[in-house]
Amino acid sequence: MKFLSSLLYSQVSLKTDSMKLKSAINIKEISGFIAIFVTIMLTGCNVTQKFSAPVFKSKTYAKVSVLSASDEVLPKTYDMKVSDSLIILSGHLDGNLFHTYDRKTGKSIGHYVNRGQGPDDMIMAGMFYQDENGVVVKDMATQAIKRFDKDWKCVSTVLDDYGKMEKNSPRRVRPMPDGKVFEEVFVEYSMPLGMQIKDGDRYGNVYTKLPVIVDNAMTGKPEYARKYHFSPDAKKMVAVSPKGLIIEIFDIDDIEIRPKAVKFYYSFESNEVVRKEGEDYVFDQKGSNIYGIGAMASTDNRIVAVYNGSYDIDAYTDITVWDWEGKALKRYHANKIISAIALSPDNPDEIYAFGKDKEGEYELLLINCPGLLD
């Protein structure tokens, strides 16, 4: 680029007055060449981003059974887990944030953890993990990570100083299956958040690479976002784009994030445009995106995900299976709008799900997908 600029300058400066017209033409031609060169240079970074819709080797129908009673009031659920005897949901209902149901019958058993700001309370329960000692959960309102024992008493709270504009200041956090903490951290004002793993006082390196090129956030284009899921042993991580369908696979080496594979299925379209209206800035939606993967569950060999594959944001109706390279394997049509799933602890063909019917009524579901984890 410097060479082209120097060449342009030398050609203009050495021309006589009688050659000004010709110089102007040369300037126009060379400037056009520079513009073409820059365009090629920028788009050349996207050469490996060849988008191709996922091809599932098998497609069939799932058998869906409704577990909850028609008059059962269910919370809007953010996450769910299934044990030998219980289904556990996180979500607000009648002042409580955790709710248990009989795994076989779907009958309500108990409601726990008050919504509030006391030591045993939370404001908005989100994603959680269950183990033999209780549950570890993220408070989506405060970014605190809390551990509750089997009696639903809070035994520990991790709350860092979030939201600062300092480099690597945590913005969003979530617990990992092995007790570590995954953080999205501030990098620079014009950059999407970086990814980092924390284990006590140890911090891994901040991963800042993106699978796509996005504009500076100051231009009004949205930051590239990711939805995350960890394998049960916390040694693998999948990140998917909420818009379009780009799947990134990472290995977790202690507290370090190692990129392994990227699959480009549907392009990510930056469709948020900013305009000034008086003294205010207004964000408009332009264009549209295909929606790909929603809720996820996994084994150490397979990723099971709710799937959309359309422009309809409410069409998360299918169950899909992927390997830990991001390759599409199987697809099951379930005909329910599904927002949370959990794998059965003893039947490899069954999934427990939280969803709603066409009328918008929440339901606890048992979904049978033949050969799901084969």
Side-chain angles (χ1 to χ4, degrees):
M1 188 67 75
K2 288 183 178 180
F3 169 75
L4 290 172
S5 300
S6 299
L7 176 62
L8 177 61
Y9 175 79
S10 62
Q11 285 193 359
V12 173
S13 61
L14 291 176
K15 297 299 178 181
T16 62
D17 292 341
S18 61
M19 296 296 289
K20 283 183 179 178
L21 178 59
K22 186 175 181 181
S23 298
I25 295 172
N26 287 341
I27 291 171
K28 204 169 185 179
E29 291 175 345
I30 296 173
S31 298
F33 175 77
I34 292 173
I36 293 171
F37 176 80
V38 170
T39 301
I40 293 173
M41 181 180 68
L42 291 176
T43 57
C45 298
N46 282 325
V47 169
T48 59
Q49 298 176 14
K50 297 179 179 179
F51 291 89
S52 180
V55 177
F56 297 94
K57 294 180 179 179
S58 67
K59 296 181 182 180
T60 188
Y61 285 87
K63 181 181 178 181
V64 181
S65 303
V66 179
L67 294 177
S68 51
S70 59
D71 59 350
E72 181 75 52
V73 179
L74 297 172
K76 182 178 180 180
T77 294
Y78 301 102
D79 195 12
M80 67 185 300
K81 296 292 184 288
V82 178
S83 67
D84 291 340
S85 59
L86 295 177
I87 300 171
I88 305 175
L89 305 181
S90 68
H92 181 232
L93 177 66
D94 295 335
N96 296 118
L97 298 177
F98 281 91
H99 317 273
T100 57
Y101 302 84
D102 184 272
R103 178 185 161 193
K104 300 298 182 183
T105 66
K107 184 178 179 181
S108 176
I109 294 178
H111 308 276
Y112 313 93
V113 182
N114 292 330
R115 187 178 188 183
Q117 300 185 47
D120 290 325
D121 304 339
M122 295 184 69
I123 299 175
M124 188 180 297
M127 191 277 304
F128 68 96
Y129 290 107
Q130 180 188 22
D131 58 27
E132 65 275 8
N133 298 316
V135 300
V136 178
V137 58
K138 167 188 172 177
D139 190 329
M140 294 193 294
T142 66
Q143 298 295 305
I145 294 177
K146 289 194 169 188
R147 172 173 279 280
F148 292 86
D149 63 18
K150 293 180 179 180
D151 296 322
W152 297 98
K153 296 294 183 182
C154 182
V155 294
S156 68
T157 300
V158 177
L159 179 61
D160 290 339
D161 193 3
Y162 297 105
K164 289 185 175 180
M165 299 296 289
E166 298 174 1
K167 193 174 182 67
N168 297 343
S169 172
R171 281 288 194 272
R172 293 190 289 265
V173 304
R174 57 176 296 163
M176 294 172 61
D178 61 352
K180 299 186 182 78
V181 176
F182 176 82
E183 300 180 335
E184 290 183 275
V185 300
F186 174 79
V187 180
E188 294 178 12
Y189 189 69
S190 60
M191 289 181 62
L193 299 177
M195 301 185 293
Q196 186 177 46
I197 293 176
K198 174 186 175 183
D199 183 16
D201 295 329
R202 299 189 305 137
Y203 292 83
N205 291 316
V206 177
Y207 184 88
T208 58
K209 295 180 181 179
L210 295 176
V212 296
I213 297 171
V214 295
D215 292 338
N216 187 308
M218 292 297 291
T219 67
K221 302 294 185 181
E223 298 179 352
Y224 184 76
R226 292 174 167 115
K227 294 188 293 186
Y228 305 95
H229 177 81
F230 297 92
S231 61
D233 62 5
K235 294 185 181 299
K236 295 185 285 286
M237 178 178 77
V238 56
V240 300
S241 59
K243 298 177 181 179
L245 181 54
I246 300 169
I247 299 179
E248 299 172 88
I249 304 294
F250 300 89
D251 286 330
I252 305 297
D253 180 10
D254 187 20
I255 56 174
E256 300 300 338
I257 299 170
R258 314 284 191 198
K260 182 180 181 182
V262 182
K263 296 291 185 182
F264 298 96
Y265 289 116
Y266 292 115
S267 61
F268 162 78
E269 180 182 331
S270 182
N271 66 347
E272 198 170 68
V273 179
V274 65
R275 60 183 172 84
K276 194 169 184 179
E277 195 173 274
E279 297 298 321
D280 301 322
Y281 287 93
V282 179
F283 291 88
D284 294 327
Q285 295 292 328
K286 303 291 184 181
S288 59
N289 284 278
I290 284 181
Y291 295 93
I293 286 177
M296 290 177 276
S298 69
T299 67
D300 291 334
N301 297 315
R302 292 289 184 263
I303 301 166
V304 179
V306 180
Y307 187 68
N308 187 322
S310 77
Y311 293 96
D312 181 1
I313 196 171
D314 291 322
Y316 286 96
T317 57
D318 289 9
I319 300 295
T320 53
V321 183
W322 314 72
D323 66 17
W324 276 101
E325 297 286 340
K327 184 179 179 181
L329 300 177
K330 301 177 182 181
R331 182 173 180 175
Y332 303 84
H333 184 57
N335 198 29
K336 293 283 185 178
I337 301 170
I338 303 169
S339 57
I341 58 173
L343 300 180
S344 169
D346 50 29
N347 188 330
D349 289 349
E350 289 184 344
I351 295 171
Y352 290 83
F354 178 84
K356 58 184 179 180
D357 60 19
K358 293 180 180 179
E359 285 70 42
E361 294 296 325
Y362 293 135
E363 298 174 323
L364 275 178
L365 307 170
L366 176 61
I367 305 176
N368 185 277
C369 302
L372 180 73
L373 299 178
D374 290 349

